[in-house]
Amino acid sequence: MNIAIVSGKGGTGKTTLATGLAYTINANYIDMDAGEPNGRHFLDPEISKSIDCEVMIPENTDKCTYCGICANKCQFSALAVIEKTKKFMLFDDLCHHCGLCVEVCPVKDAIKEISKSIGKINSGIFNKQKNINFVEGVLKIGETSSVPLLEQIKSNLVKEQLNILDSAPGSACPVVSVIEAADFVVLAGEPTPFGLNDLEIVFELVKAMDKPVGLIINKYMGNDLLHDFSKRENVPILGTIPFDRSIAENYSKSINIAELQSKELKHISENLLKLTGYHYE
Ligand code: SF4
Ligand code: SF4
């Protein structure tokens, strides 16, 4: 079973909660926030394997006639061809690796695909006694899309195990990719007007993808903002974590929240497992 932890925006405590839950219920922790993976700081994993994630990008050859058909067909404007100056330019940040340009080229062997590494997938264990899996995607600096990396991680998830998927913040393509793999989605919410606004955006996404959902209110300060959201949208509250300066101080020392808020984390975990129907030993 895959449980995704998402948040509308950064700074809501998504990774704090994801690592805390993984630690509490001995679930595999999968860091899918590949642009800035930091779950490792709270789980202290032992990494035993690191593999490259590669994508295919087009490159023309000396057979190219610079007719421009490939560039015209590319749906992402990732190619520009200038016949007059014999220029073939790939804007690889825009390329979605679909291979259409190669398919439509009318000249034999004028274009080929070459591989490019966009990052790494590291894996190992984080609880030495219990051998709990730790996986993280790490996007290379300067790369703009982590989606191919996330797809590669997803293809290796063991559905029979309990996997906590720590998503990127926001509601863009990497978040869609994580929600797609989820059997249950946990919204990590911050009870501020800004937090609510962004939470509602990602909630719309979860609704559109028809996934069961629950809410954890982090940094709870006694206001009703997220309780009202929960009632309005019929989203069950799994639990709350109080606003407490010592949590932030311990975060800066890489101390897992489950060590500080064990009662709250246990309560949230029980509610989560009850809602998902997952049994674990
Ligand atoms: S379609 Fe083929 S021949 Fe034409 S510009 Fe593209 S790679 Fe070159
Ligand atoms: S692989 Fe697809 S997205 Fe990339 S340049 Fe070719 S047609 Fe465009």
Side-chain angles (χ1 to χ4, degrees):
M1 167 171 284
N2 297 329
I3 298 176
I5 318 288
V6 306
S7 64
K9 70 174 193 64
T12 58
K14 177 182 51 57
T15 295
T16 305
L17 295 170
T19 51
L21 285 172
Y23 187 99
T24 305
I25 54 178
N26 293 321
N28 298 329
Y29 172 78
I30 320 292
D31 198 339
M32 298 176 84
D33 187 359
E36 43 181 335
N38 62 350
R40 60 160 58 218
H41 300 302
F42 307 97
L43 293 172
D44 193 22
E46 202 172 87
I47 301 295
S48 53
K49 199 169 153 197
S50 185
I51 55 168
D52 258 330
C53 174
E54 294 186 341
V55 294
M56 302 305 282
I57 55 169
E59 187 180 79
N60 69 336
T61 70
D62 55 8
K63 305 251 173 53
C64 177
T65 60
Y66 301 92
C67 66
I69 289 173
C70 53
N72 289 336
K73 291 284 180 190
C74 176
Q75 298 298 298
F76 304 99
S77 304
L79 275 178
V81 175
I82 305 168
E83 195 176 6
K84 209 168 158 193
T85 53
K86 295 196 181 327
K87 280 257 190 272
F88 178 100
M89 289 174 285
L90 172 70
F91 305 101
D92 61 354
D93 285 351
L94 300 177
C95 178
H96 281 55
H97 329 293
C98 66
L100 182 67
C101 45
V102 178
E103 288 295 317
V104 298
C105 174
V107 183
K108 193 170 181 297
D109 298 331
I111 185 168
K112 61 181 182 181
E113 285 179 294
I114 56 167
S115 69
K116 179 182 92 153
S117 167
I118 60 163
K120 285 199 177 301
I121 298 171
N122 300 323
S123 54
I125 53 168
F126 75 84
N127 182 330
K128 294 178 187 79
Q129 277 84 40
K130 295 199 170 165
N131 271 11
I132 309 296
N133 294 327
F134 174 95
V135 178
E136 68 178 358
V138 185
L139 195 65
K140 267 190 181 168
I141 291 173
E143 288 297 332
T144 51
S145 174
S146 62
V147 173
L149 206 149
L150 303 184
E151 294 299 315
Q152 195 169 324
I153 293 176
K154 279 158 60 177
S155 68
N156 288 312
L157 291 175
V158 181
K159 270 276 204 179
E160 291 68 34
Q161 297 180 358
L162 186 55
N163 303 304
I164 299 284
L165 314 182
D166 187 359
S167 162
S171 45
C173 298
V175 182
V176 174
S177 174
V178 173
I179 295 174
E180 205 173 48
D183 300 298
F184 190 91
V185 178
V186 174
L187 303 171
E190 174 194 279
T192 61
F194 190 20
L196 174 64
N197 179 72
D198 289 1
L199 190 78
E200 285 179 323
I201 294 171
V202 77
F203 175 63
E204 285 305 313
L205 198 57
V206 176
K207 263 202 310 196
M209 294 173 79
D210 203 18
K211 300 284 180 175
V213 61
L215 167 69
I216 300 174
I217 303 177
N218 193 24
K219 306 183 199 173
Y220 183 54
M221 293 171 275
N223 64 23
D224 290 335
L225 218 52
L226 293 191
H227 286 86
D228 291 348
F229 163 82
S230 154
K231 271 190 217 136
R232 193 169 63 244
E233 299 292 353
N234 201 20
V235 176
I237 296 174
L238 301 167
T240 57
I241 302 284
F243 181 79
D244 184 343
R245 188 184 162 93
S246 70
I247 296 177
E249 283 170 359
N250 284 297
Y251 176 94
S252 70
K253 295 177 197 152
S254 300
I255 296 173
N256 193 303
I257 191 172
E259 291 182 28
L260 307 158
Q261 300 279 319
S262 58
K263 217 171 100 212
E264 285 82 353
L265 261 290
K266 206 159 172 282
H267 173 71
I268 290 170
S269 303
E270 280 165 6
N271 285 339
L272 179 60
L273 294 173
K274 217 182 285 168
L275 269 181
T276 57
Y278 188 87
H279 298 283
Y280 80 105
E281 289 167 13

